[in-house]
Structures are given as C-alpha cells and as structure tokens.
Amino acid sequence: MLRLSRYMRLLARAESLGRWPEGRTPPAPAGPVVIWNLTRRCNLTCKHCYALSADMHYPGELSTDEAKATMADLKAAGVPALILSGGEPLLRPDIFELAAHARDLGLGVSLSSNGTLIDAERADRIAAAGFDYVGVSIDGLRETHDKFRRLQGAFDATVAGLRLMTARGLKVGLRYTMTAMNAHDLPALLQLMRDEGATKFYFSHLNYAGRGNIHRAKDAHFQMTRDALDRILDRAWQAARDGLDEDYVTGNNDADGPYFIAWARQHLPQWAPQLEQRLRAWGGNASGLNVANIDNTGDVHPDTMWWHHRLGNVRERRFADIWADTSDPLMAGLKQQPRPVTGRCASCIHLGICGGNTRTRAHQLTGDFWAEDPGCYLTDEEIGLTEPAGERLTVTPFRSSKSTAVEARRAIPIVPA
C-alpha cells in the first residue's frame, strides 16, 4: 500500500520551505498490521471478492472467546492495529464486542464494510465503538456499482450508510478496485468523495484472488492504469498543496512507487531524489512483512490475496510463531531481501522500491511464486532494460479446476449479472 498523500505533503512542505523537510521516519512496529476477516458471510456476491463470500453460513468460524484470545495473542506479537473485515463484518453479531475488546487491549481498530447495512442504529454503534477509520467499498456510480455488487439498490444503500457515518463525524473513506469494466467512473467517484465528506480514497488495482481471479481477463489495460494513476497523483498533489484533509492511497500494484517517482521527476524534479530515497525505505510490497491476514476460520495468510496458501492456524499455534516461520517457501522468499523474483522483475532497476510487486498475480497465472508480475504497467525502458526482454507474461482467462468449480457453486448463488 502506497500512502501517496503522506509523500505529497512532504513535497508540498519542501516547496514551501525551499528545502527538504527535516524529520525521521518512525520505526516500524514489531508486528504486522492484521486484516482480519471475522466472517465470510456477506449480503452481496461481488464480482471481485477475494473471499468468494455469499449470504450463507460458513462452518468453523472463530467463536467470540477464540477471537478475543487471538487478539491478546496478536497484541503480544507486537501487532499495532486490526482492520476488521469480512465478508460483511456487520453480519457478525459480536462485531462491536470484539471491537471494544481490541480497543481495551490498546490495538488500533478499523472497519471495512460494504456500507449497505448501515442504518441510523448501526451508525450510532459504529460511532460509539471508536473505530479509527471506516472504509466503504464502492465500485462506480449507481449502474456500475450495482452490477459489480450484483444487487440492485446497493449503490443507494451504500451512499446512505456513508452519509449516516459522516454526519456522526466518523473518519470515512472510499475503497475502489479498478478494472476495465468500471474505470470510466473514477472521475465521478473522486468527486463523490468530496461531495459526501469522505476524507480518504483507496485506489486498488485488481488482484487475482477469489472472484478477482475468475474475472482477471477483465483487468484494466496498462494505458488505462497509467491514465488512472495520473489522475490520482494530480489529485493528491492538489489536495496536499491546498492543505486539504484528504488522503489518497493505492494498493495491490507496487509499480505505483516507481511511477510516482517518474511523476515527481516531471513535475517537481528538484525533490525527486529525496522522494526516491523515502520510497526505497518504504520498500514496496508488504505481504509477509508488514501486513498479515487471518481468515474467518483462523488460518493465517501472507495477506488477504493468499487464501489459497495457508501458513498455519491461530487455534493451533501462536501468531508470532506462524509469522516468523520461514520453513514455508513462500514466507521465506517474501522475507528475503531482495526477493528471489525472476523474469523482467529480476532485471528491474526499481526492485528495491516495489519489492517485486504483487506475487499473487504471478502465482495464479504460472504456479510460480517468483515469476514476473503480469500486472506491472511499466515499460521495458522505464524499468531499465536495455535489450528486449522477450515476450511478456500475459494475462490468460481463468480456467477452473474441479475443486474451484465446486467452491464456486457452493459460494455463488445464481444472481443476475
């Protein structure tokens, strides 16, 4: 995840002072931020859902007592914050009890919701729970969003929930995943953000997990991605320069870091070297390092896009032991610096910035954790290749195995597209 606005504010400060601002990057916490899918159940069946969620009971989910014990374990492991997600976390009856328990332990707590279930009563309870932030997923304007979410009226319900929360002074942001099917609505969503009083916009590239993998053939094309990044970067710079309380963040494609540096070289060349130094310290992809995932049954994964790769279970082992265990070949490589990537990623001059980008896309297409990321939208010239690298790894349509076909039938009710 690239927190663009954090660096844009540094650039704006440098422009104001005429020198790069002094200050040190705070030390990283001992443990990763944990995105925790407390339940897999959801009232929607979204086209890009990495969890293949649906409105059904999923057996084996952690009980309230097990979740509380896991929170204490996470606190002992140095985890600084939890992002409570789903499915739809508001369908879990004990969500507010668990949020309060995490708060009592001194953990930061955020909520990730589709927003459709937030009425006045739930908005009051969300406000009383003291969440640091509430992220609301939205994929476009009414027609686009309802098609993505596979439910007519989803957009209106989401916006209504957003308004109820902003009216209560909650820090709320929009979460948007771009594909070729909804890229046209990005400008309108950026305007919607301001119109509705949201203060954060999380721009996610499509990652190939769950239904996102099934629909990977509809991923955004490289030029479409570059156009969207240009818009986001310009918007974040304008907000920083004008002193607006807005945050712009991108995720699931760490080529955004080198692309940001190229933007700075064009618009603010005097500060580009300092920005590059900061982004090298950032290091790009955080899977297996600074971000972790726990699913609804307690399985631990390197991040939310790795549900097809289990590291261990919090019912069986302490989280700290699972997270430090490099006997797993994926975790060993994710923690290695530089990572053992191959193909054009191995020859890229920006490997120290992006960290090899998102490994999930490479693995889903090739079965190889370390193959080049087909989602990288940078040209050979931009990554420093002086000779043609040969044919690039291209995105092929998803073809289900027998096991994934069974899972899809179980998890995806028949809903009009």
Side-chain angles (χ1 to χ4, degrees):
M1 182 169 65
L2 177 57
R3 301 180 185 276
L4 289 174
S5 293
R6 173 183 295 175
Y7 301 105
M8 287 296 191
R9 292 188 184 105
L10 280 173
L11 291 169
R13 182 72 172 149
E15 283 286 275
S16 174
L17 294 173
R19 58 175 174 79
W20 190 255
E22 296 179 2
R24 291 165 33 179
T25 303
V33 171
V34 171
I35 304 168
W36 193 346
N37 301 82
L38 285 171
T39 182
R40 191 173 164 190
R41 185 167 200 152
C42 188
N43 59 314
L44 303 178
T45 53
C46 306
K47 288 187 175 183
H48 50 20
C49 176
Y50 61 80
L52 287 167
S53 292
D55 195 359
M56 58 181 284
H57 171 69
Y58 292 94
E61 296 193 335
L62 297 177
S63 69
T64 302
D65 287 344
E66 287 175 322
K68 287 181 176 180
T70 299
M71 287 178 178
D73 180 35
L74 295 175
K75 178 66 176 179
V79 168
L82 305 176
I83 300 173
L84 304 183
S85 186
E88 172 49 56
L90 292 177
L91 286 174
R92 181 151 175 151
D94 58 359
I95 180 64
F96 297 109
E97 180 182 351
L98 292 178
H101 188 72
R103 278 284 188 203
D104 290 344
L105 289 171
L107 293 163
V109 191
S110 298
L111 180 71
S112 181
S113 171
N114 64 44
T116 61
L117 302 179
I118 299 175
D119 54 15
E121 180 183 358
R122 280 200 177 99
D124 286 339
R125 297 193 71 183
I126 292 170
F131 287 105
D132 297 312
Y133 169 74
V134 181
V136 177
S137 300
I138 192 161
D139 301 305
L141 297 184
R142 184 175 289 105
E143 181 180 357
T144 304
H145 182 78
D146 288 0
K147 188 173 182 179
F148 259 71
R149 299 282 154 171
R150 298 159 64 100
L151 180 69
Q152 188 172 359
F155 176 83
D156 291 336
T158 296
V159 172
L162 180 68
R163 290 172 177 168
L164 288 167
M165 289 189 292
T166 55
R168 286 157 176 77
L170 286 159
K171 184 175 182 179
V172 182
L174 305 185
R175 300 174 55 86
Y176 163 78
T177 299
M178 192 182 81
T179 72
M181 298 180 288
N182 68 344
H184 59 281
D185 276 352
L186 174 59
L189 288 182
L190 289 170
Q191 186 59 47
L192 180 74
M193 168 194 171
R194 284 186 176 165
D195 291 345
E196 298 298 339
T199 58
K200 184 175 180 179
F201 193 92
Y202 179 86
F203 175 94
S204 177
H205 302 260
L206 183 69
N207 213 335
Y208 302 165
R211 294 192 199 110
N213 188 39
I214 292 170
H215 294 289
R216 69 193 188 201
K218 297 179 181 178
D219 198 358
H221 302 296
F222 292 161
Q223 188 57 52
M224 191 180 293
T225 299
R226 295 168 75 97
D227 292 344
L229 261 290
D230 288 342
R231 185 179 295 275
I232 294 288
L233 287 164
D234 289 345
R235 174 82 165 218
W237 171 239
Q238 177 205 26
R241 187 181 54 198
D242 295 345
L244 301 181
D245 181 21
E246 294 179 352
D247 285 305
Y248 296 88
V249 178
T250 70
N252 289 316
N253 198 319
D254 302 285
D256 293 349
Y259 196 79
F260 183 18
I261 294 168
W263 178 94
R265 288 184 182 133
Q266 179 182 356
H267 295 87
L268 301 162
Q270 66 274 36
W271 310 121
Q274 292 91 336
L275 175 64
E276 180 172 352
Q277 184 179 16
R278 285 295 185 113
L279 291 182
R280 286 191 179 277
W282 163 65
N285 186 266
S287 302
L289 296 169
N290 302 319
V291 63
N293 173 246
I294 301 175
D295 70 22
N296 56 312
T297 64
D299 282 346
V300 177
H301 310 278
D303 68 27
T304 54
M305 303 299 163
W306 282 106
W307 276 31
H308 57 291
H309 190 93
R310 177 183 183 272
L311 301 174
N313 190 285
V314 296
R315 286 173 166 140
E316 302 163 359
R317 299 171 67 195
R318 294 191 314 149
F319 175 82
D321 294 337
I322 296 171
W323 199 244
D325 187 355
T326 54
S327 65
D328 181 280
L330 175 58
M331 284 297 275
L334 290 175
K335 293 180 185 297
Q336 180 178 322
Q337 297 297 320
R339 288 173 173 173
V341 291
T342 61
R344 71 196 300 267
C345 288
S347 304
C348 178
I349 60 174
H350 305 301
L351 180 57
I353 298 173
C354 84
N357 213 335
T358 301
R359 299 288 87 222
T360 311
R361 285 187 287 260
H363 185 251
Q364 292 284 30
L365 281 173
T366 70
D368 180 359
F369 295 141
W370 313 114
E372 67 184 56
D373 183 354
C376 177
Y377 54 89
L378 302 179
T379 66
D380 285 353
E381 181 181 14
E382 287 171 327
I383 70 170
L385 291 181
T386 56
E387 297 180 3
E391 187 174 348
R392 286 198 59 177
L393 177 62
T394 56
V395 178
T396 55
F398 171 79
R399 297 183 185 281
S400 66
S401 65
K402 183 177 179 180
S403 61
T404 55
V406 169
E407 175 69 4
R409 284 197 298 272
R410 289 179 58 205
I412 310 177
I414 302 301
V415 180

